[in-house]
Amino acid sequence: MSSDKLTLKQRFDRWMIKHGRVLVIGIPYFWLFLFFLVPFLIVLKISFSVAEYAQPPYTPLFEWIDEGITITLNFGNYLFLLSDSLYATAYLNSIRIAAISTIITLLIGYPMAYGIARARGSMRSVLLMLVILPFWTSFLIRVYAWIGILDREGLINAFLLWTGIISEPLIMRQTEFAVYVGIVYTYLPFMILPLYSTLEKMDVSLIEAALDLGCKPWQAFVKVTLPLSMPGILAGSLLVFIPAVGEFVIPELLGGPNTLMIGRTLWNEFFANRDWPIASAVAIAMLLFLVVPIMWFQHIQTKQEEREQ
Amino acid sequence: MPEAVLERAHEDVHKTQPWNNPDAVPYIRFENVTKKFGDFYAVDDVSLDIYRHELFALLGGSGCGKTTLLRMLAGFEEPTSGKIYIDGVDMAGVPAYERPTNMMFQSYALFPHMTVEQNVAFGLVQDGVSRSEIKELVAEMLGLVQMSKFAKRKPHQLSGGQRQRVALARSLIKRPKVLLLDEPLGALDKKLREQTQFELVNIQEKVGTTFVMVTHDQEEAMTMASRIAVMNEGVISQTGTPFELYEYPNSRYTANFLGQVNLLEGVLVDDDEKYAVIKSDEANCDIYIDHAVQGHEGMTFWAAIRPERLRLTKTEPEETKYNCVSGKIEEIGYLGGISTYHVRLESGKRIKVTEPNTGRHNEPTYTWEDRVWVSWEAGAASVLNK
Amino acid sequence: MNGKRSTFLISALVFGFAFLYVPILLVIIYSFNEGKLVTVWAGFSTKWYVSLFNNDGMIDAAWNSLRIGVMSATLALALGTPAGLVMSRFGRFKGRTMFSGMIAAPLVMPEVITGLSLLLLFVTLEQLVGWPAGRGLSTITIAHTTFCAAYVAVVVQSRLSGMDISVEEAAMDLGAKPAKIFFVITLPMILPALLAGWLLSFTLSLDDLVIASFVAGPGSTTLPMKVFSSVRLGVSPEINALATLIILTVSIMIVIASFLILRSERMRNRAANGSDA
């Protein structure tokens, strides 16, 4: 009898070896497929329908009429996106604001990363921990902290009024400036970490070689350190730029009503206007003009890195 | 011998061995140089003269201070105290980029984002040399190191030996007064290393630059260097030509560091103007030395004898009063050209003997557990007191 | 090294860290302010902490967030670990490009898009198969699991590709079956990465406002949603108190974690040095 049992177990093992692989691939595959890929198809579908006062608030795309399927594709949403300059402005604004914030973040983050990379061992881990720590605290709270500082009745104005430098409070919150501050503040760690890891890995003797061959320290920085830290600059900039473009919370809380950004526009279409088809069309447009180029760029990057190794 | 001939011979010696000429002016001079890192003395009160056109090697184990000494010469570290002169100029406060030295780094430190050509040209571009001149000089230098074919390659497309050549070209192109080499062949495999040693010496002779190199490899130092300074714990324990260091070590450290040596500890029992006798309990024999020894009777000395200066016999030698011990062969290492034997003496001490394998068809003379006698001549041993 | 340069670097560090920490410190300080205004210091008080703990809506939201966080971090670990394993150890297979795309995409996807698309999925599914009936904690959990799984996969993948594969090959050579190798060899070795992945997922879930806002239903308000709605109107001392509590908890956990990491590293070093001698 025991031999029977053994073959059963063996049979199970064989089956596992043969199909276990498929199982391990299959489960995450299925989950991501269902909850990540399929939703985009639905968004695509709804972007072609018309808004209705109904539940859900849009017209069906497929209809059974006379025992046949009729597909009504409605390009109206996309035409609307093109005709109303609000969307193009929001899109360009997002890119501009994200790009400028990325540059500011880089300018602040680079010397910090360099300083940390050149610090002594134990000091270095403390500084790194200090960079990472804010990341683990709430993002929303970190944005919120600036409300109290930049507000009309905030700390900066209170201080400046007290010193007598100004007599009228400065308008800082609800401006584009406040959005820059918010983005730079919340995403600074994302810039510092990749920069740090490239700078830390860099062979100090390369800089010494440049000095030895007659470079002044700043020339050595420009000719050797800077070009060699390019991968870190690129990685950090992408880590800041990508989420900044689609940012909703920061422009909503710190920016003014005129600080249009594409993520905020989508949110408003959905929650304020309850126009699901337009919101879907905005999402598809963002996907095409933002996410796809970024992913393509990253793909090229990894390909190039693989080739260089 | 006519006076003129003698004088010319003297002059030649002074030219090829400036360190033996009391009138020669040193090109590089370390004067009581000390470097502290925290409480640690990396270099401790070192004074050293290096002459023009020398290929000088700083030899020592890791952490002995040799690299720190080199880096102070390059200007990457400032001495805590003491002075460094190059060609008579005090180097204190002169930054690395203004010193007349160039360095070849251990890791080569080739700029990975530049081609071979750009790497080699780097120093000249810094000096604002004209484009056409740079092109000419780079081509010439790449020719010298036989890398012309690879001018457009990036460092990661080169083999270790090729990178080493590029690094050499890059550091030589500015015609530095002194070229500093930090473990120049450390990253190469053994075969390539031996070949490159001679190439480096040839290039040095061709360009005539003074080379100061750091190495932990005694064979490399002996093959290449005109003189060697052996360093230990921040202090130079001995300076001299390879021959002097090998044949006349001044300490057990130097004797051990260069080549292999048997050290027999003993006490001076007979001290004469012409000879000396050291009684070694360790080897259970009396060691006869054919010259006087500085010291008094009862003092501890070590007789240092190279394995190849020992004679191995199966039969007892005629004279066994001095310089003769017997034991059993414990280990045999066949290295092709020579064989090494570890002989366990009756006193329990183990000594090492090497014998050349002269004939191809000779049967092996010795085998394990053979009883043998080990003897040596009166002049074979160096007497060390530290 | 160079005096001038290190002065510049040190001042950059001082300025940078001041920029990072002064706002947080101000929030902490003003959470103990007696008065309601930010600008006026009216004396020390802990009354905002008392009123925070009496705010039932806030406490409920916090519970919701914690439950969603634990659930989705655990699920994300269960899905992300095999995904990372597949990416680094399974070589080529049919559909690999799409698989790696689906893991990379959530990391660059704007939250508004992820949120919107998941909501539309849930609405459509409810119409078609009647599940999920309405939206609430479960839909938020699914949404968070999906994007957190991608993060876990990346963390696990990078840990695995930095790991010597010959250890696993040795286990196979000694007769272990693939599943056994995973649980006995691979899993213990990537344990730190799994822990990091779980914590990362937990934090991301706890932090998420946008996606949760899209897929939440009535009665499933999370803490960020609650905070957002009260912060929109301006500074609130209760939120200061809440922020202080969050910051303190996180800081204490991080300090303990880095202490543990440092200690284990030191022990490993000592062991390594001991075996050398």
Side-chain angles (χ1 to χ4, degrees):
Chain A
M1 282 292 109
S2 68
S3 70
D4 225 359
K5 250 185 186 169
L6 204 76
T7 48
L8 208 72
K9 190 187 174 300
Q10 275 177 339
R11 221 182 288 162
F12 175 73
D13 284 345
R14 295 274 152 77
W15 186 87
M16 274 304 286
I17 286 170
K18 209 171 164 195
H19 300 282
R21 198 180 139 89
V22 177
L23 213 68
V24 173
I25 299 175
I27 292 171
Y29 209 126
F30 174 74
W31 181 285
L32 287 170
F33 183 78
L34 178 63
F35 291 114
F36 191 75
L37 209 63
V38 171
F40 288 115
L41 300 177
I42 296 173
V43 174
L44 187 67
K45 187 194 102 177
I46 293 174
S47 73
F48 286 113
S49 52
V50 180
E52 264 189 346
Y53 285 104
Q55 193 52 257
Y58 53 85
T59 57
L61 204 58
F62 314 101
E63 270 177 314
W64 292 96
I65 300 170
D66 300 333
E67 294 177 349
I69 298 178
T70 334
I71 301 173
T72 337
L73 276 189
N74 167 31
F75 288 95
N77 299 317
Y78 291 98
L79 290 175
F80 184 69
L81 291 192
L82 286 175
S83 64
D84 193 334
S85 68
L86 173 96
Y87 300 100
T89 315
Y91 172 76
L92 293 175
N93 253 350
S94 303
I95 291 190
R96 183 174 53 86
I97 291 176
I100 293 176
S101 327
T102 305
I103 292 168
I104 301 172
T105 316
L106 180 63
L107 291 178
I108 299 177
Y110 199 105
M112 286 181 77
Y114 197 91
I116 297 171
R118 292 285 163 270
R120 252 171 278 135
S122 55
M123 189 68 184
R124 193 187 294 179
S125 18
V126 171
L127 292 177
L128 265 186
M129 201 187 75
L130 282 177
V131 170
I132 299 166
L133 196 128
F135 165 79
W136 294 98
T137 65
S138 166
F139 169 80
L140 200 52
I141 298 247
R142 279 181 292 146
V143 178
Y144 161 76
W146 283 96
I147 296 180
I149 297 172
L150 297 175
D151 220 10
R152 210 182 128 83
E153 282 92 33
L155 286 162
I156 293 182
N157 272 327
F159 178 75
L160 291 178
L161 286 170
W162 176 73
T163 54
I165 293 173
I166 54 168
S167 51
E168 279 290 301
L170 299 169
I171 307 293
M172 285 176 294
R173 195 187 155 202
Q174 302 198 318
T175 60
E176 219 172 273
F177 167 74
V179 176
Y180 292 134
V181 172
I183 294 177
V184 171
Y185 180 68
T186 45
Y187 293 117
L188 188 59
F190 292 96
M191 180 63 89
I192 294 178
L193 293 178
L195 276 176
Y196 164 80
S197 74
T198 43
L199 286 171
E200 190 254 351
K201 264 187 291 184
M202 204 156 73
D203 190 356
V204 184
S205 62
L206 288 174
I207 298 158
E208 287 180 345
L211 293 177
D212 185 62
L213 293 166
C215 279
K216 293 195 175 61
W218 69 267
Q219 290 171 317
F221 176 80
V222 172
K223 293 201 163 184
V224 178
T225 314
L226 201 59
L228 286 178
S229 55
M230 226 43 199
I233 293 177
L234 217 60
S237 298
L238 278 177
L239 282 181
V240 175
F241 181 81
I242 292 169
V245 168
E247 190 51 62
F248 161 73
V249 175
I250 295 172
E252 181 71 16
L253 289 183
L254 295 175
N258 299 327
T259 321
L260 278 179
M261 284 182 80
I262 193 76
R264 202 180 175 195
T265 310
L266 193 155
W267 176 286
N268 285 336
E269 289 298 349
F270 183 84
F271 284 104
N273 302 346
R274 290 197 61 79
D275 193 335
W276 291 22
I278 285 280
S280 299
V282 172
I284 294 295
M286 268 175 96
L287 211 59
L288 283 180
F289 292 108
L290 214 63
V291 180
V292 170
I294 285 169
M295 289 196 75
W296 182 70
F297 180 75
Q298 283 188 328
H299 181 72
I300 302 246
Q301 273 295 115
T302 38
K303 273 271 167 74
Q304 196 174 345
E305 271 165 30
E306 273 167 19
R307 224 188 17 236
E308 276 184 11
Q309 278 164 9
Chain B
M1 215 176 277
E3 288 263 305
V5 175
L6 251 178
E7 210 161 89
R8 199 174 312 138
H10 224 80
E11 249 172 46
D12 278 356
V13 166
H14 283 175
K15 212 178 259 172
T16 53
Q17 303 178 356
W19 51 89
N20 286 330
N21 176 4
D23 300 328
V25 182
Y27 200 53
I28 300 165
R29 170 155 241 175
F30 289 91
E31 249 179 41
N32 306 97
V33 170
T34 297
K35 178 70 187 179
K36 275 169 79 175
F37 292 111
D39 288 337
F40 172 69
Y41 283 86
V43 172
D44 191 0
D45 196 26
V46 163
S47 295
L48 178 66
D49 289 341
I50 298 170
Y51 296 87
R52 199 163 185 164
H53 305 312
E54 265 202 89
L55 201 169
F56 194 91
L58 295 163
L59 177 64
S62 63
C64 72
K66 57 189 194 302
T67 303
T68 309
L69 207 58
L70 194 77
R71 289 170 61 81
M72 285 194 283
L73 202 50
F76 299 134
E77 313 277 359
E78 280 287 327
T80 312
S81 66
K83 294 232 176 257
I84 298 172
Y85 298 92
I86 298 177
D87 201 9
V89 181
D90 185 359
M91 285 291 127
V94 180
Y97 49 90
E98 281 170 14
R99 293 201 180 193
T101 58
N102 282 128
M103 177 132 156
M104 201 182 116
F105 289 82
Q106 180 172 16
S107 60
Y108 305 143
L110 296 178
F111 304 123
H113 57 303
M114 298 180 189
T115 60
V116 165
E117 218 170 31
Q118 287 168 324
N119 261 290
V120 176
F122 190 90
L124 297 176
V125 174
Q126 252 3 272
D127 288 357
V129 178
S130 77
R131 223 166 233 254
S132 55
E133 203 176 331
I134 289 180
K135 212 172 166 190
E136 204 175 293
L137 285 168
V138 168
E140 185 190 322
M141 199 42 92
L142 286 178
L144 181 70
V145 297
Q146 298 161 26
M147 285 293 293
S148 307
K149 267 194 286 180
F150 304 99
K152 300 287 179 208
R153 295 248 186 120
K154 289 257 180 95
H156 66 91
Q157 296 166 310
L158 301 177
S159 71
Q162 291 167 334
R163 282 181 214 185
Q164 193 260 358
R165 289 153 189 275
V166 177
L168 181 66
R170 187 180 70 175
S171 50
L172 270 178
I173 198 157
K174 288 180 78 175
R175 302 273 166 199
K177 286 184 173 169
V178 183
L179 184 73
L180 309 171
L181 305 100
D182 187 1
E183 303 273 1
L185 310 171
L188 305 181
D189 58 53
K190 196 170 188 306
K191 208 138 203 168
L192 196 57
R193 198 156 61 210
E194 280 167 8
Q195 183 189 334
T196 316
Q197 282 170 1
F198 291 111
E199 275 181 24
L200 254 180
V201 174
N202 286 340
I203 287 175
Q204 195 255 348
E205 276 166 9
K206 234 180 253 175
V207 295
T209 310
T210 309
F211 278 28
V212 179
M213 75 173 202
V214 151
T215 179
H216 67 275
D217 182 339
Q218 48 106 359
E219 219 173 287
E220 186 174 302
M222 291 182 80
T223 319
M224 294 170 65
S226 57
R227 282 194 308 151
I228 300 171
V230 179
M231 286 190 76
N232 182 27
E233 292 181 342
V235 179
I236 292 182
S237 57
Q238 193 174 358
T239 309
T241 62
F243 175 79
E244 285 165 357
L245 292 180
Y246 190 78
E247 298 298 352
Y248 304 100
N250 67 355
S251 64
R252 282 180 290 158
Y253 183 80
T254 321
N256 251 324
F257 204 88
L258 277 96
Q260 293 180 323
V261 75
N262 294 298
L263 289 166
L264 303 178
E265 186 178 338
V267 178
L268 188 63
V269 289
D270 193 354
D271 189 14
D272 192 87
E273 274 176 27
K274 295 255 174 60
Y275 69 94
V277 176
I278 292 168
K279 183 176 168 53
S280 170
D281 289 338
E282 203 180 39
N284 198 15
C285 79
D286 290 338
I287 301 163
Y288 181 90
I289 313 286
D290 64 353
H291 58 81
V293 168
Q294 285 188 338
H296 53 81
E297 286 174 22
M299 229 170 109
T300 305
F301 282 96
W302 289 269
I305 314 164
R306 302 285 180 192
E308 70 273 16
R309 305 278 148 75
L310 293 171
R311 213 170 31 233
L312 209 55
T313 46
K314 269 190 172 170
T315 50
E316 195 172 351
E318 284 165 22
E319 183 59 66
T320 57
K321 192 177 176 210
Y322 293 121
N323 298 355
C324 182
V325 288
S326 73
K328 267 186 188 161
I329 291 190
E330 214 172 56
E331 309 270 3
I332 302 174
Y334 175 73
L335 300 174
I338 56 167
S339 288
T340 69
Y341 302 92
H342 290 208
V343 179
R344 176 77 67 184
L345 303 185
E346 276 143 14
S347 60
K349 173 144 180 99
R350 209 154 92 144
I351 61 173
K352 203 169 179 181
V353 184
T354 59
E355 294 261 290
N357 297 322
T358 44
R360 208 177 138 200
H361 303 290
N362 293 1
E363 286 288 308
T365 329
Y366 306 99
T367 182
W368 291 274
E369 298 296 322
D370 275 357
R371 183 176 161 79
V372 290
W373 277 263
V374 178
S375 56
W376 61 93
E377 279 166 16
S382 306
V383 181
L384 309 172
N385 60 7
K386 56 179 181 184
Chain C
M1 249 198 246
N2 191 302
K4 220 192 300 173
R5 192 167 55 161
S6 63
T7 321
F8 170 71
L9 287 181
I10 287 169
S11 43
L13 283 174
V14 169
F15 168 78
F17 281 112
F19 176 62
L20 278 179
Y21 281 93
V22 166
I24 295 178
L25 286 179
L26 287 175
V27 167
I28 294 177
I29 291 169
Y30 277 93
S31 75
F32 294 106
N33 189 4
E34 170 88 48
K36 205 171 164 41
L37 287 172
V38 207
T39 40
V40 192
W41 179 259
F44 181 86
S45 155
T46 52
K47 72 176 191 191
W48 299 115
Y49 290 86
V50 177
S51 88
L52 176 71
F53 282 112
N54 288 329
N55 185 340
D56 288 340
M58 202 65 96
I59 300 292
D60 284 348
W63 270 123
N64 280 344
S65 273
L66 285 177
R67 272 155 66 194
I68 294 169
V70 170
M71 272 301 289
S72 46
T74 311
L75 276 172
L77 200 65
L79 283 167
T81 311
L85 189 76
V86 167
M87 289 298 294
S88 65
R89 290 285 191 267
F90 273 40
R92 307 226 147 264
F93 59 89
K94 225 173 157 189
R96 187 190 153 96
T97 316
M98 188 154 104
F99 191 72
S100 64
M102 287 197 300
I103 285 171
L107 309 180
V108 298
M109 196 59 70
E111 290 166 320
V112 279
I113 299 186
T114 313
L116 177 73
S117 64
L118 275 165
L119 169 71
L120 297 182
L121 172 80
F122 291 138
V123 170
T124 313
L125 277 180
E126 193 181 359
Q127 274 179 297
L128 289 177
V129 296
W131 179 90
R135 291 178 294 284
L137 297 186
S138 59
T139 47
I140 302 178
T141 307
I142 290 174
H144 285 182
T145 302
T146 307
F147 80 86
C148 289
Y151 280 91
V152 174
V154 170
V155 171
V156 169
Q157 186 196 348
S158 75
R159 169 75 194 170
L160 277 173
S161 46
M163 214 174 79
D164 192 356
I165 198 167
S166 60
V167 178
E168 287 156 69
E169 285 169 347
M172 199 181 294
D173 184 59
L174 295 169
K177 294 186 189 74
K180 179 140 194 178
I181 293 171
F182 176 75
F183 285 107
V184 178
I185 307 291
T186 316
L187 205 59
M189 282 175 79
I190 59 170
L191 209 60
L194 296 187
L195 193 68
W198 193 91
L199 281 174
L200 182 67
S201 303
F202 181 70
T203 313
L204 288 170
S205 164
L206 222 56
D207 220 16
D208 170 65
L209 164 73
V210 175
I211 295 173
S213 297
F214 274 98
V215 297
S220 62
T221 306
T222 62
L223 194 59
M225 288 162 72
K226 190 84 190 159
V227 171
F228 182 66
S229 61
S230 58
V231 153
R232 245 183 165 157
L233 310 169
V235 175
S236 136
E238 253 178 49
I239 301 295
N240 284 344
L242 176 70
T244 306
L245 289 179
I246 293 177
I247 291 162
L248 279 182
T249 319
V250 169
S251 310
I252 290 169
M253 274 165 59
I254 294 230
V255 168
I256 291 174
S258 33
F259 176 75
L260 288 178
I261 291 169
L262 223 73
R263 205 181 60 171
S264 75
E265 258 174 24
R266 216 170 279 160
M267 275 164 73
R268 205 177 306 150
N269 282 347
R270 203 175 300 154
N273 290 341
S275 67
D276 273 358

